[in-house]
Amino acid sequence: MGEVPESHPRYASLKARKQLTDAASAGLLADSALIAHGRGEAFDYLIGEVTCDTAREAIGEVAARLQSADNPVISVNGNTVALAGPQMIACAAALSCPIEVNIYYRTPERMRVLLSALDTQRQEAAALYPELADKIAKVEVLGANPDGRIPNLDGPRANCHTDGILSADVVLVPLEDGDRCEALIAMGKTVCVVDLNPLSRTARMASVTIVDELTRCIPILLTILMNETKLPNHEWDNEQNLQNAIKVMLRNLE
Amino acid sequence: MGEVPESHPRYASLKARKQLTDAASAGLLADSALIAHGRGEAFDYLIGEVTCDTAREAIGEVAARLQSADNPVISVNGNTVALAGPQMIACAAALSCPIEVNIYYRTPERMRVLLSALDTQRQEAAALYPELADKIAKVEVLGANPDGRIPNLDGPRANCHTDGILSADVVLVPLEDGDRCEALIAMGKTVCVVDLNPLSRTARMASVTIVDELTRCIPILLTILMNETKLPNHEWDNEQNLQNAIKVMLRNLE
């Protein structure tokens, strides 16, 4: 895939695709990561490739939960780093919380490449959001030396940091898999996810699900975190929010 | 991704995913091929991961068009070879027609790897379908030395064989892209495609669209080609068939 001209009507989607294939070449992603991205593309197509009202409500709710958390943590995987690494670092800066690299198919080599990518992205983030530069410099990036495990998960995907995911009360974890989402919920955490498939186990298990494309919704979340203080909606009905997203897709399919 | 046990409830889908990631490692696929497969997975999820009645009708119509063609040709790309190469060779044998490797992102290296994969798959096909073994041995595999071009297409993706796609009246081309489908239709050919997205340009441009997963529908097509003679339905309404597929997806989403 060559360079995508900004004038292309599907620039955003093609740019995301290129970021992912570049990340795959650079060793940031597991084998199945591109397939997962493709599934997302299909659901994004159904949602109309725009941030719908129901997604905006979920973004506001996620902002509120993160802002009112005692120990918020942002957990990122390969696809998240490839698509929105600098923006995730900026969100962590706005919240003064750590980022933890937590991947399903953990290998030392992929962890090394991802932590190194985040190092570079920290500088990109400071250039993109100069008003956050001081806080961006202080964001703690965890993942290299996990000293704890998520209960009820087997294998290396359970590894995590005691002072990161393990002690967090609210976790923002975009693009999470169903098993780990379920395990985090079972630990009593508030789990905020970004998932374009409103029918997925992750979407249905999570406390708050943003049904939107990552590179569209994270900048909106960041703007709120930088400028407003939101209050959590204690009546939040995630199931209803997912139903509303499905309705948008049904309208577009019809 | 390790070996998938046959008892897994989503064995077929996980097996296809493994075939694709293995093919990517072996150099059979372009960068974006895994993303395209993921889009297919999402639509397959919506169609219920089964061959619906409307797909069965399309499969029968494709069989009839191929059987009554003067010069049928089967055109395959990387994903098709990875997922159903031996079955495509068996279809070509049952029709006594050539297979042509025709890929969007053509490089000499990928063409070489694909032609070599088909060589191995010819032996697999003969073992799987011994009743076709003599015909399978004679299937002509084109693609190495294209001597013609599809009009109205730029770049290497237009390259094809005069005694293959260029002179064919009916082309079965699973997983085709919209541009090339349109160009083949503009040449007056009957174009039969397999596409899980009933809204795609390919699905809407084609003469007959099978909205089904490749590894499910090709064995059904092959069984018809080996055992029955079908007559084309001169009233075939592809638009209506696509609408019926969308209705199945709507019911599953609801």
Side-chain angles (χ1 to χ4, degrees):
Chain A
M1 241 177 290
E3 287 299 317
V4 183
E6 235 172 294
S7 58
H8 193 288
R10 302 195 60 251
Y11 174 73
S13 172
L14 296 176
K15 181 168 169 245
R17 203 179 285 176
K18 178 151 169 48
Q19 282 171 281
L20 259 289
T21 51
D22 287 351
S25 306
L28 267 72
L29 309 181
D31 285 347
S32 53
L34 293 178
I35 296 179
H37 183 71
R39 283 197 301 277
E41 277 192 4
F43 284 103
D44 197 24
Y45 183 79
L46 292 179
I47 207 104
E49 293 182 333
V50 293
T51 302
C52 61
D53 290 345
T54 186
R56 281 184 196 278
E57 286 171 32
I59 294 167
E61 182 64 16
V62 167
R65 304 260 184 138
L66 287 167
Q67 284 173 333
S68 60
D70 293 322
N71 293 305
V73 164
I74 298 180
S75 168
V76 296
N77 64 4
N79 288 33
T80 302
V81 170
L83 289 171
Q87 290 72 25
M88 300 309 297
I89 293 170
C91 285
L95 290 160
S96 301
C97 83
I99 282 205
E100 181 164 345
V101 179
N102 202 277
I103 57 180
Y104 197 93
Y105 297 104
R106 181 186 281 259
T107 66
E109 176 55 16
R110 277 190 64 218
M111 286 301 296
R112 194 189 61 71
V113 176
L114 282 167
L115 290 165
S116 152
L118 281 166
D119 244 9
T120 311
Q121 291 179 334
R122 187 195 294 268
Q123 294 156 41
E124 289 171 45
L128 283 168
Y129 311 102
E131 63 275 45
L132 286 173
D134 288 350
K135 287 183 164 185
I136 285 171
K138 288 183 203 140
V139 168
E140 193 180 8
V141 177
L142 304 171
N145 302 299
D147 58 349
R149 290 183 62 80
I150 301 169
N152 303 315
L153 272 188
D154 49 9
R157 63 184 173 156
N159 295 351
C160 67
H161 279 249
T162 307
D163 51 349
I165 287 173
L166 220 53
S167 59
D169 54 344
V170 179
V171 187
L172 168 61
V173 51
L175 317 178
E176 181 54 299
D177 90 287
D179 277 0
R180 209 158 48 187
C181 184
E182 184 169 2
L184 292 172
I185 289 282
M187 291 173 82
K189 297 183 191 304
T190 292
V191 182
C192 303
V193 302
V194 178
D195 194 326
L196 275 159
N197 177 1
L199 302 164
S200 79
R201 208 151 63 84
T202 299
R204 288 180 287 126
M205 290 295 310
S207 315
V208 186
T209 304
I210 301 171
V211 180
D212 198 14
E213 199 276 324
L214 191 72
T215 67
R216 273 202 312 270
C217 67
I218 295 301
I220 301 173
L221 175 66
L222 178 60
T223 302
I224 299 174
L225 294 178
M226 285 166 72
N227 298 306
E228 297 170 48
T229 305
K230 292 252 176 186
L231 285 178
N233 168 7
H234 292 294
E235 309 290 308
W236 179 257
D237 184 343
N238 204 50
E239 173 67 28
Q240 183 58 53
N241 198 267
L242 292 173
Q243 283 302 323
N244 293 345
I246 291 171
K247 274 182 203 151
V248 175
M249 292 186 179
L250 282 171
R251 272 201 304 275
N252 288 334
L253 250 182
E254 273 161 0
Chain B
M1 237 175 292
E3 287 299 317
V4 184
E6 235 173 292
S7 58
H8 194 286
R10 301 196 60 253
Y11 173 73
S13 173
L14 296 176
K15 181 169 169 243
R17 201 178 287 175
K18 178 153 171 43
Q19 281 172 281
L20 260 289
T21 51
D22 287 351
S25 306
L28 268 71
L29 307 182
D31 284 349
S32 54
L34 293 179
I35 296 179
H37 182 72
R39 284 198 300 278
E41 276 192 3
F43 284 103
D44 197 25
Y45 183 77
L46 292 179
I47 206 98
E49 293 183 330
V50 292
T51 302
C52 62
D53 290 345
T54 188
R56 282 186 194 276
E57 285 171 32
I59 295 167
E61 183 63 15
V62 167
R65 304 260 184 139
L66 287 167
Q67 285 173 333
S68 60
D70 291 324
N71 294 305
V73 164
I74 297 178
S75 171
V76 296
N77 65 3
N79 288 34
T80 303
V81 170
L83 289 172
Q87 290 72 26
M88 300 310 294
I89 293 170
C91 286
L95 290 161
S96 301
C97 83
I99 281 205
E100 181 164 345
V101 178
N102 202 274
I103 57 180
Y104 196 92
Y105 298 103
R106 180 187 281 259
T107 66
E109 177 55 17
R110 276 190 65 217
M111 286 300 297
R112 194 188 63 69
V113 176
L114 282 168
L115 290 166
S116 150
L118 281 167
D119 245 8
T120 311
Q121 291 179 332
R122 188 196 293 269
Q123 293 156 41
E124 289 171 46
L128 284 168
Y129 310 103
E131 61 277 44
L132 286 174
D134 288 350
K135 288 181 162 187
I136 284 170
K138 289 183 202 141
V139 168
E140 195 180 6
V141 177
L142 303 171
N145 302 299
D147 57 350
R149 287 182 65 80
I150 301 168
N152 304 313
L153 272 189
D154 50 6
R157 63 184 174 156
N159 295 351
C160 66
H161 279 249
T162 308
D163 53 350
I165 288 173
L166 220 54
S167 59
D169 53 345
V170 179
V171 186
L172 169 61
V173 50
L175 317 179
E176 182 53 299
D177 90 288
D179 278 358
R180 210 158 49 187
C181 183
E182 186 169 3
L184 293 172
I185 289 283
M187 291 174 80
K189 299 184 190 302
T190 293
V191 181
C192 303
V193 302
V194 177
D195 195 325
L196 274 159
N197 178 0
L199 301 164
S200 80
R201 210 152 64 82
T202 299
R204 287 180 289 128
M205 292 291 312
S207 315
V208 186
T209 304
I210 301 171
V211 181
D212 198 16
E213 199 276 323
L214 191 72
T215 66
R216 272 201 312 268
C217 67
I218 296 299
I220 301 172
L221 175 66
L222 178 60
T223 302
I224 299 174
L225 294 177
M226 285 167 73
N227 298 306
E228 298 171 47
T229 306
K230 291 250 176 188
L231 285 177
N233 168 6
H234 293 293
E235 310 290 308
W236 179 257
D237 185 342
N238 204 51
E239 173 65 28
Q240 183 57 56
N241 197 266
L242 291 174
Q243 283 302 324
N244 294 344
I246 291 170
K247 274 182 205 155
V248 175
M249 292 184 180
L250 283 170
R251 272 202 303 274
N252 288 336
L253 251 181
E254 274 161 0

